[in-house]
Structures are given as structure tokens and as C-alpha cells.
Amino acid sequence: MIKKHLNEVNSTNTYAKEHIKNIKDKTVIYTSHQTGGRGRFNRVWVDLGDENLFLSFVLKPSKDLKPVYSNLTQYTALKLAETFKEYSINPQIKWPNDILINGKKISGILAESVMSEGKLKGLIIGVGLNLNAKEEDFSQIDKIVTALNLEIKKSVDKNVFLNKFCKNFFDGYDNFLEHGFISIKSEYESYANFIGKEVTIKNFSTTIKGIAEKITDNGAIIVEGQEFLTGDII
């Protein structure tokens, strides 16, 4: 693992894409100041100050896209949940990769791939983390969100968190690539807050409301008998 710190950047994912040829496999690019962060479906991720983290894992596991790569955001969510749990709190995963603490979102994950002439140049897993904030910082945000310090009632050392998270991520990474989602399914389910509950799934132009029945061996969610490989619980 290689770590690269940037003082300020538009987004760590954008930086990674622009410099992908010169970035080695298993590099972590991180910053405390990101001016153009975004999440899935181009949602904005708000910068709450220099005691928080934005990071991107740059991964180059092969020259071709493999099905297991589509589950890397779920793997990342699991490893993030495990890291939060080290702070004596009970995180939950909202399918596919949102982390909630006491029902409030605390992180964002965005995966991107870089292709050139039919070859995979790299996978980029971007993560935005609310580690230290004030209640009033969220007053202009229309989502129910939180920060780790508000949940544990004390400030969080961002570098300690970064080291814990990176260690957790890479400790199981190679095994995950070899065996796929099924190798983490039981652990992922242990953090799932939606199984057996009524949910609304939005998948591009489709929106379905019903009971979340289960997670499949490939990480999809079954709602009202329909399988969703992509989408969001809204």
C-alpha cells in the first residue's frame, strides 16, 4: 500500500483518473480539502473542513473488467462499517453501500473504472467521510447526516481513522477478489438494516416499493421477487 496526501484537490477520484498511468496499484490518495466532490448519480458531497477525509483507493488488479469488481463498493462499505465499529458504535449498511449510524448517513462511496482501448487501466474507489463536524454544519444539507465525533461525543483523529480503514480494506482485499461477494456475504448481512423491511428501490427509471427479501450471492437485492443489481434504497 502506498499513501499520497494532497493539500487540496477538485476530487481525489478526478485526480486519480487524470494521473492513472503514473499511479501504482494499491495507492491511497487522500485529502482534507476537496472542492468538487460528488457521490453516486452525481450527488454533491459537502466538504465539512480539514478534520474530515476524502480518499480514493487506486486499484489495478487486471487488464480486463471482471464481474467481482462491481461488488467493490459493497466490500468497501463492509470494511468501513468494521472500522466505525472499532469506535464502539453500531454502524449499519443501507444497500448497496451507504453507512448509517443511528439512521444518519456518515459516508459516501463512488466507484469508477478507467478504460483505454478496451483495456482496464484502473479501478478507483472514492470515499468521503464525516469524522468531525458541528451540528450547525448540517443545517443547509437536505439529508439526514452525521459525523463520527457527534456520535462518540469526542473529536476523531483523522490520521488514526485513515490507518485503521486502509488496514481493514487491504487485509481482505486479495481474498475478496479471488472469491467474490459470497466470501463477505454473511458479514455484509450482519450490518444490513433493510432485510425483512419495506423499502423503496430506485433503479434508473424504475421505482419499486416492497419487502427486501434477501441479498443474493452476487450482492443483488431481492424486492418483491425482483432482483436488483444496481440502484438505491431511497
Side-chain angles (χ1 to χ4, degrees), residues 3 5 30 53 131 156-164:
K3 290 181 185 175
H5 176 259
Y30 68 101
L53 275 174
L131 298 182
V156 177
D157 186 317
K158 63 184 179 183
N159 292 312
V160 170
F161 190 97
L162 175 66
N163 290 335
K164 288 177 182 287

Side-chain angles (χ1 to χ4, degrees), residues 193-199 210-214:
N193 74 334
F194 51 84
I195 302 299
K197 297 180 181 178
E198 185 174 76
V199 299
I211 300 298
E213 298 166 18
K214 65 177 182 178

Side-chain angles (χ1 to χ4, degrees), residues 169-228:
F169 183 93
F170 285 113
D171 277 353
Y173 170 72
D174 291 327
N175 183 70
F176 172 77
L177 288 187
E178 182 177 354
H179 299 289
F181 181 81
I182 194 169
S183 67
I184 63 164
K185 182 182 176 184
S186 61
E187 289 87 353
Y188 182 91
E189 288 175 327
S190 72
Y191 288 97
N193 74 334
F194 51 84
I195 302 299
K197 297 180 181 178
E198 185 174 76
V199 299
T200 300
I201 293 283
K202 184 176 177 60
N203 180 2
F204 301 108
S205 60
T206 303
T207 301
I208 290 181
K209 187 174 184 179
I211 300 298
E213 298 166 18
K214 65 177 182 178
I215 296 294
T216 68
D217 289 348
N218 63 351
I221 187 172
I222 304 293
V223 178
E224 296 298 312
Q226 297 190 51
E227 179 176 309
F228 293 86

Side-chain angles (χ1 to χ4, degrees), residues 3-230:
K3 290 181 185 175
K4 180 179 179 62
H5 176 259
L6 302 174
N7 289 326
E8 183 176 293
V9 68
N10 175 41
S11 90
T12 55
N13 268 33
T14 298
Y15 178 92
K17 285 189 289 185
E18 291 174 348
H19 298 85
I20 194 73
K21 286 198 296 185
N22 300 317
I23 300 174
K24 293 183 178 180
D25 182 30
K26 298 182 179 180
T27 293
V28 182
I29 299 166
Y30 68 101
T31 186
S32 295
H33 292 289
Q34 186 165 270
T35 59
R38 61 190 174 87
R40 282 157 51 83
F41 307 112
N42 284 316
R43 299 175 184 128
V44 174
W45 188 259
V46 178
D47 187 334
L48 294 171
D50 62 7
E51 291 306 312
N52 298 279
L53 275 174
F54 303 93
L55 63 94
S56 293
F57 296 104
V58 180
L59 311 168
K60 298 182 175 183
S62 68
K63 297 294 185 183
D64 57 319
L65 277 172
K66 297 181 179 180
V68 67
Y69 300 160
S70 66
N71 297 113
L72 270 169
T73 55
Q74 289 169 296
Y75 172 80
T76 304
L78 171 62
K79 295 304 171 180
L80 193 49
E82 291 174 349
T83 306
F84 281 125
K85 194 169 185 178
E86 292 182 39
Y87 288 80
S88 300
I89 55 176
N90 294 307
Q92 294 181 310
I93 297 175
K94 185 179 79 169
W95 186 87
N97 55 48
D98 280 348
I99 304 294
L100 306 180
I101 297 176
N102 294 321
K104 295 169 283 189
K105 187 172 179 177
I106 197 169
S107 64
I109 299 173
L110 175 66
E112 300 182 86
S113 58
V114 180
M115 304 290 295
S116 179
E117 297 178 348
K119 299 291 186 181
L120 177 65
K121 297 302 180 182
L123 301 165
I124 303 166
I125 312 295
V127 184
L129 294 161
N130 294 341
L131 298 182
N132 293 283
K134 303 181 183 72
E135 292 282 2
E136 54 265 32
D137 291 337
F138 301 125
S139 61
Q140 301 302 314
I141 301 175
D142 62 356
K143 301 286 185 181
I144 301 174
V145 293
T146 190
L148 184 55
N149 70 308
L150 298 177
E151 301 300 324
I152 65 174
K153 310 302 182 187
K154 62 181 179 180
S155 62
V156 177
D157 186 317
K158 63 184 179 183
N159 292 312
V160 170
F161 190 97
L162 175 66
N163 290 335
K164 288 177 182 287
F165 180 33
C166 290
K167 182 180 186 303
N168 286 340
F169 183 93
F170 285 113
D171 277 353
Y173 170 72
D174 291 327
N175 183 70
F176 172 77
L177 288 187
E178 182 177 354
H179 299 289
F181 181 81
I182 194 169
S183 67
I184 63 164
K185 182 182 176 184
S186 61
E187 289 87 353
Y188 182 91
E189 288 175 327
S190 72
Y191 288 97
N193 74 334
F194 51 84
I195 302 299
K197 297 180 181 178
E198 185 174 76
V199 299
T200 300
I201 293 283
K202 184 176 177 60
N203 180 2
F204 301 108
S205 60
T206 303
T207 301
I208 290 181
K209 187 174 184 179
I211 300 298
E213 298 166 18
K214 65 177 182 178
I215 296 294
T216 68
D217 289 348
N218 63 351
I221 187 172
I222 304 293
V223 178
E224 296 298 312
Q226 297 190 51
E227 179 176 309
F228 293 86
L229 278 167
T230 60

